[in-house]
Amino acid sequence: VSHPPPPPPQSNLYLPSHIGDGAMEQRERADQLSEAETGMIQDTWGRVYENCEDVGVAILIRFFVNFPSAKQYFSQFQDMEDMEEMERSTQLRKHAQRVMNALNTVVENVHDPDKVASILNLVGKAHAIKHKVEPMYFKILSGVILEILSEDCPESFTPDVQRAWTKLMGLVYWHVTGAYTEAGWVQLSSSAV
């Protein structure tokens, strides 16, 4: 799957603006998905996941090109500037596969909120405690994921599908940042990006 060069960072049209806007005490429960939204997400994901390696790599390359500060957490490719070099990176490909597998597990279990919460709690705690990644990067990555999905499936990424995916990304961010709170992070906003 060939992807056009990434747009400039300001054009992140799909960034869920209602999530992750600051201090912990403002934390509100994310909206739950309806059956119809769940169906739309699983249907779209089925098509995307057929090319999961290419899509995952496209997501990470767009993320790192538009938000190069995110590369600081990846010693294996933090100095890579060239998109082709990133695309060839075994380490980037492995991380892309982990991202896509985590998303796949969330989508496959979207009917089971406890399982989704458990999965995302593990992801959040690993990134908070082990990797010390600023949680805002999850919000930014959500927007990049939505951009790539809409480009990969333009015919099926209708406004309703886009809203469903935006809601799912809001849930992902809500659960991940909850894990950050449990891990002792005091504030979720960042001026690093």
Side-chain angles (χ1 to χ4, degrees), residues 13-35:
L13 303 174
Y14 299 105
L15 189 61
S17 60
H18 67 286
I19 55 177
D21 53 3
M24 295 304 299
E25 54 277 357
Q26 295 176 354
R27 192 169 156 74
E28 291 181 26
R29 179 117 184 123
D31 292 335
Q32 296 301 304
L33 294 165
S34 70
E35 286 295 317

Side-chain angles (χ1 to χ4, degrees), residues 126-138:
H127 284 79
I129 297 167
K130 183 179 178 188
H131 307 298
K132 303 199 181 335
V133 173
E134 286 283 337
M136 268 311 277
Y137 286 109
F138 280 94

Side-chain angles (χ1 to χ4, degrees), residues 46-65:
R47 288 180 229 150
V48 170
Y49 202 64
E50 290 172 8
N51 301 310
C52 71
E53 186 177 338
D54 290 336
V55 173
V57 168
I59 288 168
L60 287 188
I61 289 174
R62 173 90 45 99
F63 180 55
F64 292 136
V65 167

Side-chain angles (χ1 to χ4, degrees), residues 5 43 57 59-60 73 94 115 145 167 174:
D43 180 55
V57 168
I59 288 168
L60 287 188
Y73 301 106
K94 284 181 183 173
K115 177 119 183 189
I145 289 168
K167 207 178 202 184
W174 190 85

